[in-house]
Amino acid sequence: MFPLDPVERHLFLEGIFLKYGYDFRQYSEASFDRRLKNILTKFEMNSLLEVLQKAISSPSFFREMIPLLTINTTEFFRDPQFFKALREKVFPVLKTYPTINIWLAGCSSGEEIISIAILLKEENLYNRSTIYATDINSEVLKKARDGIYEMSTVQNFIKNYVAAGGTKSSSEYYTAEYGLVRFDPSLRENVVFSEHNLVTDSVFAESHLIICRNVLIYFSRELQNRVFSLFEKSLVYRGFLGIGTKESLRLSGSFPLFEEIDINQHIYQMKSSTQVPSGDGRTL
Ligand SMILES: C[S@@+](CC[C@H](N)C(=O)[O-])C[C@H]1O[C@@H](n2cnc3c(N)ncnc32)[C@H](O)[C@@H]1O
């Protein structure tokens, strides 16, 4: 397909930011351009300026466009080893807290929320936990709230649940009806759903664990740094952070503040202040 005009691209991104505060200016270019081209095709428009003009005059058109600007691919217990590592290395520490706040940033349509809720239940932690599930896209949040999925997702759910160290019969968690599966509503009882934009919004909740997987991969290095410093501010003393296997904290300015709890699964824990090196290499 034709290349996008860089001036139009720039004006489009600035215009959307000025009008709606949605800041896609630092999303990494290659994959975002594919999404912009999809928008031109879907709405049968020839230029981003035409799309921008319509988006500015019609908020409902803009809302229709947001799901096309974000990538929402997800699955139950995605990268099962990540969940196994949480169970083995993070939950034993969470057990020591009377209440537990978990922030799932970029939760998409809820498969990750259900996975975490199941894990918490099985470790007897769910009753004292609150899961803050946020995403920029209100449509996927609606699906997450409903907790209803295609029957075809179940096979993957079972496979990943077992690989993640699941100990029960997975069918305990859902009922099947008319080609769909409805997950046990209790898995959403302790979940607070909210729209939140990692690029423009501020600290969300005081969290013991933040999970933000396969979101930062679409952001520029600069934007990733902004998000990491947001997470730093949102974590309690010695809080945990889990990011995607293709994402890394290593090149960010926040890295010295964290220790790696599981190198392969990209799980980190905030260091205590005495472990953080000062500018001259001494520890404070
Ligand atoms: C590829 S999905 C990953 C979902 C899930 N975390 C997982 O790993 O399976 C990325 C999610 O990030 C959300 N997202 C993208 N930009 C965002 C932003 N600026 N603030 C919050 N969420 C964002 C998208 O709407 C999408 O639901």
Side-chain angles (χ1 to χ4, degrees):
M1 207 183 175
F2 50 91
L4 294 173
D5 181 291
V7 176
E8 283 196 15
R9 184 184 199 281
H10 177 79
L11 291 173
F12 175 82
L13 296 175
E14 288 295 330
I16 293 296
F17 177 58
L18 280 175
K19 173 78 183 174
Y20 294 105
Y22 278 77
D23 192 351
F24 296 107
R25 293 175 299 176
Q26 293 185 62
Y27 277 49
S28 59
E29 241 174 64
S31 77
F32 199 67
D33 280 3
R34 268 198 303 280
R35 280 170 271 163
L36 293 176
K37 286 176 188 173
N38 288 344
I39 286 177
L40 290 174
T41 311
K42 169 157 183 187
F43 296 112
E44 296 177 352
M45 290 183 180
N46 294 317
S47 80
L48 286 176
L49 289 185
E50 207 182 330
V51 183
L52 177 62
Q53 207 166 27
K54 178 127 195 231
I56 286 177
S57 59
S58 164
S60 63
F61 174 76
F62 175 66
R63 269 197 302 280
E64 215 182 311
M65 216 167 69
I66 295 179
L68 299 172
L69 290 171
T70 58
I71 292 178
N72 307 114
T73 317
T74 186
E75 60 184 59
F76 295 104
F77 294 97
R78 182 179 192 174
D79 303 317
Q81 293 306 316
F82 173 83
F83 291 89
K84 205 159 188 243
L86 278 186
R87 204 195 274 266
E88 288 167 4
K89 299 182 178 170
V90 176
F91 282 22
V93 180
L94 296 187
K95 273 187 183 151
T96 63
Y97 297 116
T99 57
I100 302 163
N101 288 342
I102 298 176
W103 179 13
L104 282 185
C107 63
S108 192
S109 42
E111 288 84 337
E112 201 175 38
I113 306 171
I114 287 175
S115 312
I116 291 290
I118 287 176
L119 226 61
L120 289 167
K121 272 203 171 203
E122 293 186 356
E123 296 297 318
N124 291 323
L125 292 176
Y126 188 64
N127 287 343
R128 53 177 142 139
S129 299
T130 305
I131 301 175
Y132 296 92
T134 66
D135 202 283
I136 192 177
N137 180 342
S138 59
E139 262 191 36
V140 288
L141 278 175
K142 184 181 173 316
K143 184 165 180 199
R145 272 194 196 98
D146 291 345
I148 299 172
Y149 300 88
E150 297 292 317
M151 181 66 102
S152 55
T153 59
V154 162
Q155 226 153 28
N156 193 254
F157 170 81
I158 297 171
K159 180 170 73 70
N160 285 355
Y161 171 72
V162 171
T167 51
K168 303 220 164 144
S169 156
S170 52
S171 59
E172 275 188 33
Y173 296 113
Y174 57 81
T175 48
E177 16 180 295
Y178 310 112
L180 298 171
V181 285
R182 181 189 296 276
F183 276 83
D184 180 354
S186 75
L187 294 169
R188 294 185 301 286
E189 236 161 46
N190 297 358
V191 182
V192 178
F193 295 91
S194 178
E195 262 181 65
H196 180 277
N197 186 341
L198 287 165
V199 182
T200 48
D201 295 340
S202 59
V203 170
F204 188 76
E206 220 183 37
S207 311
H208 299 90
L209 165 65
I210 296 176
I211 296 174
C212 181
R213 297 162 72 224
N214 308 301
V215 181
L216 301 167
I217 195 170
Y218 303 110
F219 293 180
S220 68
R221 177 79 53 212
E222 202 182 331
L223 194 48
Q224 290 184 18
N225 280 338
R226 182 202 184 270
V227 177
F228 284 133
S229 77
L230 185 69
F231 290 161
E232 255 172 53
K233 293 186 194 109
S234 308
L235 282 171
V236 301
Y237 174 74
R238 300 287 284 147
F240 294 91
L241 171 66
I243 58 178
T245 47
K246 296 193 195 84
E247 296 157 338
S248 177
L249 189 61
R250 275 174 181 252
L251 295 175
S252 106
S254 302
F255 186 61
L257 300 178
F258 287 87
E259 58 189 289
E260 288 172 299
I261 295 300
D262 189 308
I263 292 181
N264 294 327
Q265 300 310 317
H266 296 198
I267 299 175
Y268 306 86
Q269 183 175 24
M270 282 274 261
K271 287 178 180 166
S272 60
S273 55
T274 51
Q275 291 173 283
V276 178
S278 67
D280 60 8
R282 285 173 300 117
T283 48
L284 299 172

